[in-house]
Amino acid sequence: MSFLRSRFVQAVLILVLAAVLLRYGIRPPAPWSVFTLYMAIVFMGVLVFVSADADSWRSFVRPLWSVLVDRDKRYLRYGLMIVIPLLLGYYAYTQAAARPQAPPELRAVHPAPPDSIDLRGKPFNISGAENPLRKDQASYATHVAAGAAIYFRNCMYCHGDNLDGQGHFAPGFNPPPANFQDPGTIAMLQEAYLFWRIAKGGPGLPSESTPWNSVMPAWEDRLTEEQMWQVIMFLYDFTGQQPRRWESH
């Protein structure tokens, strides 16, 4: 075991042990960038360790110098001259080689809604529909408050308490939940579009808009028609957005 007193052997053992612990001893596994960062720190610490004094440094470089100049190490030297370029070339090839990738999935952000839907067994015209609750301006605050209660009870977990799509469950979804604070979402849509999306959810999206992986549930099974309109009023009121109006012909 006298070889363990060599600073070179000690340095190699420290690096190998650190690599094994960082790679396989952490769960979940650390990203490659974190692994390389910590290994660089360990390597610098090893250099400080082996260069603490002159004897330690000579003990560290002696095996390296022996491989470079000693005649009896020439076969090892020739072998390293072949193996090291091959390993570097293989690493460069693996980094530059094309990797198999899944085909791109084209997705319509705002698929066209149908002209009408079936809402609990009754036909409901989407095209041209307006929020009926806005006609009663005296009860506007009441409807917005009711919509807020419904939202925070049912929608906040995905769309976030600030309506920015950053709910607790959001990181697990692809596509992510809609960010209602984004001017490119509800401000670009009529309220009837939101009603359709809330009522039918992901299962109600048209087949021509596939592939869709939306986990939005069909809220028509859980909310009344009035409650869905109230949630829509809350979304626009909270974000300060204005719904898009139907174009007059």
Side-chain angles (χ1 to χ4, degrees), residues 112-199:
D115 291 334
S116 65
I117 60 174
D118 181 84
L119 188 68
R120 298 193 185 93
K122 299 179 181 178
F124 183 91
N125 291 325
I126 295 294
S127 180
E130 300 285 357
N131 190 336
L133 303 183
R134 291 190 181 277
K135 297 177 181 177
D136 184 11
Q137 285 299 311
S139 301
Y140 176 84
T142 302
H143 290 311
V144 170
I150 297 167
Y151 176 88
F152 287 111
R153 190 165 55 246
N154 300 286
C155 316
M156 176 188 69
Y157 309 102
C158 299
H159 293 282
D161 55 2
N162 197 34
L163 283 66
D164 54 2
Q166 300 297 319
H168 296 304
F169 299 153
F173 298 146
N174 182 22
N179 173 9
F180 301 126
Q181 299 284 3
D182 185 345
T185 55
I186 60 175
M188 305 294 293
L189 304 169
Q190 294 93 354
E191 287 183 288
Y193 186 100
L194 273 68
F195 185 88
W196 165 59
R197 292 290 290 113
I198 294 173

Side-chain angles (χ1 to χ4, degrees), residues 26-243:
I26 299 176
R27 289 291 178 271
W32 180 252
S33 58
V34 175
F35 173 79
T36 54
L37 173 63
Y38 279 104
M39 282 305 299
I41 295 174
V42 173
F43 181 72
M44 289 186 288
V46 168
L47 287 180
V48 172
F49 168 66
V50 299
S51 60
D53 55 61
D55 292 339
S56 176
W57 181 250
R58 279 194 294 271
S59 175
F60 174 71
V61 300
R62 186 178 301 116
L64 301 173
W65 185 255
S66 176
V67 171
L68 291 175
V69 300
D70 288 355
R71 184 175 179 77
D72 61 338
K73 298 289 193 311
R74 63 182 182 280
Y75 294 115
L76 175 59
R77 184 161 57 245
Y78 297 153
L80 291 176
M81 291 173 63
I82 296 173
V83 171
I84 291 178
L86 287 177
L87 291 177
L88 292 176
Y90 176 75
Y91 176 76
Y93 169 77
T94 57
Q95 296 301 306
R99 294 180 175 84
Q101 296 180 344
E105 293 184 352
L106 302 179
R107 177 179 298 136
V109 177
H110 300 311
D115 291 334
S116 65
I117 60 174
D118 181 84
L119 188 68
R120 298 193 185 93
K122 299 179 181 178
F124 183 91
N125 291 325
I126 295 294
S127 180
E130 300 285 357
N131 190 336
L133 303 183
R134 291 190 181 277
K135 297 177 181 177
D136 184 11
Q137 285 299 311
S139 301
Y140 176 84
T142 302
H143 290 311
V144 170
I150 297 167
Y151 176 88
F152 287 111
R153 190 165 55 246
N154 300 286
C155 316
M156 176 188 69
Y157 309 102
C158 299
H159 293 282
D161 55 2
N162 197 34
L163 283 66
D164 54 2
Q166 300 297 319
H168 296 304
F169 299 153
F173 298 146
N174 182 22
N179 173 9
F180 301 126
Q181 299 284 3
D182 185 345
T185 55
I186 60 175
M188 305 294 293
L189 304 169
Q190 294 93 354
E191 287 183 288
Y193 186 100
L194 273 68
F195 185 88
W196 165 59
R197 292 290 290 113
I198 294 173
K200 295 300 181 182
L205 287 167
S207 58
E208 60 268 24
S209 298
T210 55
W212 271 92
N213 300 314
S214 172
V215 295
M216 178 83 170
W219 288 101
E220 65 175 336
D221 299 330
R222 301 168 178 82
L223 302 177
T224 66
E225 180 178 337
E226 181 179 79
Q227 287 174 322
M228 289 188 280
W229 286 120
Q230 288 173 331
V231 170
I232 293 170
M233 292 179 69
F234 166 70
L235 297 181
Y236 284 102
D237 182 83
F238 187 92
T239 59
Q241 316 269 21
Q242 294 296 321

